[in-house]
Amino acid sequence: MIETQVQRAIRDALQIAPPVAGDNIFDFVPEGAPFPRVTIGEEQIVGDGNSCGDGWEVFADVHVWSREAGFAEAKVLAAAVSERICAISAITGFNLISVEMRDQRRMRDPDGLTSHIVLSFQFTLDET
């Protein structure tokens, strides 16, 4: 399944030694998980079939969270996340044509304590 393989590639990229955010990389955040942390978030898969075979664009969000004052820690972590994900060179079972960061949104969460950055990536793939 394409969505499982893209998520696995993202997680693997973030866990290369030294792992981004230590062991704090989640797709479901357990109660009491420490900061800073990274969550692998939402995805959208858009089919791009053509006469040469099936292809897809996968839009994947990765969230960075920090409780340090200001955005400095979150920005450093977001830069590391972007570097790692943009360096992905293969997705198991698919031909990875490209991966790029499309968007980055920085915000303060309503709790007034948490810095939150959402990075959106676009993966373009086709069948192997």
Side-chain angles (χ1 to χ4, degrees):
M1 295 180 66
I2 193 169
E3 58 277 346
T4 304
Q5 296 305 333
V6 170
Q7 181 175 345
R8 183 173 290 128
I10 291 170
R11 184 172 183 81
D12 289 350
L14 298 177
Q15 290 184 320
I16 294 170
V20 173
D23 292 331
N24 301 321
I25 302 167
F26 307 102
D27 65 352
F28 175 81
V29 181
E31 186 71 33
F35 290 89
R37 62 182 173 229
V38 173
T39 55
I40 301 169
E42 304 75 19
E43 288 182 349
Q44 178 184 9
I45 300 170
V46 179
D48 187 25
N50 59 46
S51 61
C52 295
D54 287 327
W56 301 269
E57 290 179 334
V58 178
F59 298 89
D61 289 343
V62 177
H63 300 256
V64 170
W65 310 85
S66 172
R67 284 264 171 96
E68 268 196 11
F71 277 98
E73 181 180 53
K75 288 178 181 179
V76 168
L77 188 52
V81 166
S82 181
E83 183 178 319
R84 295 277 184 96
I85 293 175
C86 287
I88 293 172
S89 60
I91 303 282
T92 302
F94 299 90
N95 178 30
L96 177 61
I97 297 165
S98 66
V99 58
E100 58 187 276
M101 191 190 59
R102 302 297 293 174
D103 186 73
Q104 188 178 124
R105 298 174 307 276
R106 299 174 184 153
M107 61 204 85
R108 184 92 47 225
D109 272 13
D111 66 10
L113 303 171
T114 308
S115 298
H116 181 188
I117 299 177
V118 182
L119 299 101
S120 297
F121 297 90
Q122 179 180 350
F123 294 79
T124 304
L125 307 112
D126 63 19
E127 290 183 324
T128 55

